[in-house]
Amino acid sequence: MNQLKKDDPAVYELTLKEGQRIENTIDLVASETHMSQSTLETMGSVLNHKTIEGYPGKRYHAGCEYVDEIETLAIERMKALFEADHANVQPHTGSSANFAVYFSSLQVGDKVLAMNLAHGGHLTHGHFASATSKCFNFEHYNVDLKTELIDYEALAEHAKRFRPKMLVAGASSYARLIDYEKMSQIAQSVGAYLFVDMAHIAGLVAAKLIPSPVAYADFISFTTFKTMAGGRGGVILCKEQYASAVDKAVFPGTQGTSSVSNIATKATIAKIATESRFIDIQQRTLDNAKLLADLLSNKGYRIVGGGTDTHQVVVDVTSKDLSGAQAEQTLEAIGIITNRNYIPKDTSTKASGLRLGTGPIAIRGMKESEVRIIVHLIDEALHNLDNDSRLNQLNKEVLALCKQFPVYS
Ligand SMILES: *Cc1c(COP(=O)(O)O)cnc(C)c1O
């Protein structure tokens, strides 16, 4: 970054510091990943230069011969990886992908049934603060408050009552599997489209370690920067009959030019995702999450939904008389990065949950013995909230662990 150092020492310094922060902390944020070196190279390459509008072979600017090949590679590889009829690789991120899915097949004001945010859903699933709720008429389904799992019978009844034009399945904070076959039966029973938002779990699906929604869903969206471990961006998959509507809804419907460098990283991750190194990381991600949930549960932390089938572990920290924010801040003080999250029982604006994810530590090569250490560190910290010297000691232990598992060497 020699030129950046000259042009903008302030941003240069902050970038270096961010690099050190990444090396010296343990990342348990479920929606993050450690970007591969090749992703960083592509993101910072000449591919940032080109303005593209339209699709390969049908562009609105000349000079697209190579970027057309890149986008075609990304599309074909994503289709092959997920066995999908059609892929659109232009969405800037997951939210833009979701907007395009809605506008591909709904009219403003149409009814959509999606998961409640506090029960696991996403802002773009019609939360009042999201523009999605201003465009479409959302109702939300909840999990069963006892099991904290989706109650498919209640959902089917809700769908019969509400008669949505689209049913949204998929979540940002729900650690258990979703039954896509049941979801598709419910959607079909009321003549609704099924849209599966697999933003968090796409990497696990790509590795074929958890069930794929592709056979059941009309539309699928995902981000490439969560378990998928590619660059920042979004992808839409759909059945052939919706291909043209989806493409039009992305460009020109909801986006202008897309980012060729981000599209290129999508091509690369779709290639890497077929290789054993990727599948090994996804398996380690799952193994680490199961162990993390078991060990925390053994120490008296209540695990939301009773456990995990994915990379996520959602912890009810009120089981230790803490708020989500207190837990998040205390762990940050020792160098363990997490995020507080609403859980189904939350009725106020205070989050009771702490959402953990094991993607980044799996990429770093951390396995069972490191997960055991991490659980010990978490538990110690959360029992020593106000004990700065103990927290300092624990931070040293975090640093020592990080040194053994460099992100970038
Ligand atoms: C992360 C996420 C998205 C996309 O979010 P962006 O921040 O816009 O990339 C969409 N849906 C779900 C369920 C998510 O978890």
Side-chain angles (χ1 to χ4, degrees):
M1 297 193 298
N2 289 333
Q3 191 59 43
L4 177 63
K5 193 176 175 182
K6 284 184 201 135
D7 289 350
D8 190 342
V11 168
Y12 170 79
E13 285 298 329
L14 290 169
T15 309
L16 290 192
K17 282 187 181 156
E18 171 63 0
Q20 284 157 7
R21 187 194 68 79
I22 291 168
E23 291 293 346
N24 293 333
T25 53
I26 293 169
D27 187 356
L28 292 179
V29 176
S31 52
E32 289 182 1
T33 201
H34 292 308
M35 301 294 163
S36 67
Q37 192 60 40
S38 63
T39 299
L40 297 182
E41 286 169 10
T42 311
M43 288 280 192
S45 73
V46 293
L47 296 177
N48 256 302
H49 169 93
K50 193 80 194 94
T51 287
I52 53 162
E53 283 182 328
Y55 291 96
K58 296 167 286 189
R59 302 284 195 195
Y60 292 84
H61 305 80
C64 287
E65 64 217 272
Y66 303 116
V67 300
D68 275 8
E69 282 192 48
I70 287 173
E71 183 168 351
T72 303
L73 266 182
I75 291 168
E76 292 307 320
R77 286 178 181 168
M78 283 294 176
K79 280 164 60 177
L81 179 65
F82 290 102
E83 300 173 57
D85 292 351
H86 181 71
N88 187 303
V89 295
Q90 291 196 5
H92 298 310
T93 188
S95 295
S96 5
N98 289 356
F99 269 93
V101 168
Y102 295 136
F103 279 104
S104 74
S105 50
L106 302 178
Q107 299 298 318
V108 169
D110 275 351
K111 293 192 271 186
V112 186
L113 183 55
M115 195 179 210
N116 186 341
L117 183 88
H119 291 225
H122 189 254
L123 289 164
T124 56
H125 298 179
H127 187 263
F128 70 87
S130 159
T132 52
S133 72
K134 293 168 179 82
C135 301
F136 306 106
N137 173 11
F138 275 87
E139 280 196 10
H140 291 104
Y141 56 91
N142 293 332
V143 296
D144 177 298
L145 280 177
K146 277 208 198 76
T147 60
E148 294 169 314
L149 303 177
I150 294 169
D151 178 345
Y152 295 94
E153 272 175 38
L155 175 56
E157 277 168 33
H158 192 166
K160 287 221 163 61
R161 245 182 1 256
F162 182 51
R163 302 207 74 81
K165 192 141 180 227
M166 180 179 277
L167 173 64
V168 186
S172 35
S173 185
Y174 186 78
R176 308 316 301 251
L177 297 179
I178 291 173
D179 188 334
Y180 302 120
E181 190 175 2
K182 277 194 189 146
M183 284 287 182
S184 107
Q185 285 163 358
I186 294 169
Q188 278 176 23
S189 75
V190 295
Y193 297 113
L194 177 61
F195 166 28
V196 174
D197 178 348
M198 62 171 188
H200 264 265
I201 54 173
L204 302 165
V205 171
K208 301 191 165 46
L209 298 176
I210 64 170
S212 165
V214 170
Y216 301 105
D218 297 299
F219 309 94
I220 292 169
S221 71
F222 62 93
T223 55
T224 41
F225 61 89
K226 295 177 182 171
T227 52
M228 197 62 195
R232 210 148 270 280
V235 174
I236 299 171
L237 307 173
C238 68
K239 299 221 164 96
E240 188 57 45
Q241 72 240 55
Y242 310 120
S244 147
V246 161
D247 285 352
K248 284 186 191 128
V250 175
F251 175 87
T254 53
Q255 289 189 180
T257 65
S258 188
S259 156
V260 178
S261 48
N262 291 48
I263 289 172
T265 66
K266 292 169 197 175
T268 306
I269 198 60
K271 170 184 177 287
I272 291 175
T274 63
E275 298 171 6
S276 59
R277 59 176 161 151
F278 179 91
I279 295 163
D280 290 348
I281 287 170
Q282 300 295 331
Q283 184 63 58
R284 200 183 303 148
T285 300
L286 280 182
D287 295 345
N288 285 351
K290 284 208 167 49
L291 184 62
L292 183 64
D294 286 349
L295 295 176
L296 285 170
S297 170
N298 292 345
K299 287 188 183 290
Y301 293 83
R302 195 180 76 78
I303 308 301
V304 174
T308 179
D309 306 309
T310 65
H311 64 302
Q312 287 189 4
V313 178
V314 185
V315 186
D316 175 1
V317 288
T318 63
S319 56
K320 293 284 179 180
D321 291 327
L322 298 169
S323 71
Q326 275 176 314
E328 178 195 296
Q329 284 156 19
T330 305
L331 293 176
E332 185 179 28
I334 68 161
I336 294 181
I337 310 301
T338 63
N339 74 282
R340 65 185 176 282
N341 218 100
Y342 290 120
I343 57 175
K345 73 170 195 186
D346 280 328
T347 47
S348 73
T349 53
K350 196 165 153 190
S352 305
L354 190 70
R355 190 184 64 167
L356 309 174
T358 49
I361 62 166
I363 287 182
R364 238 173 148 150
M366 293 184 183
K367 299 192 182 109
E368 181 179 335
S369 48
E370 291 75 37
V371 173
R372 289 182 186 281
I373 296 171
I374 290 170
V375 168
H376 162 76
L377 293 167
I378 290 175
D379 188 47
E380 276 293 301
L382 296 185
H383 282 100
N384 286 280
L385 244 50
D386 302 316
N387 184 343
D388 285 346
S389 73
R390 183 70 186 123
L391 294 180
N392 270 335
Q393 262 172 359
L394 295 170
N395 180 232
K396 293 209 176 78
E397 291 179 43
V398 167
L399 279 172
L401 187 57
C402 291
K403 289 261 172 332
Q404 285 176 50
F405 292 88
V407 180
Y408 302 105
S409 34

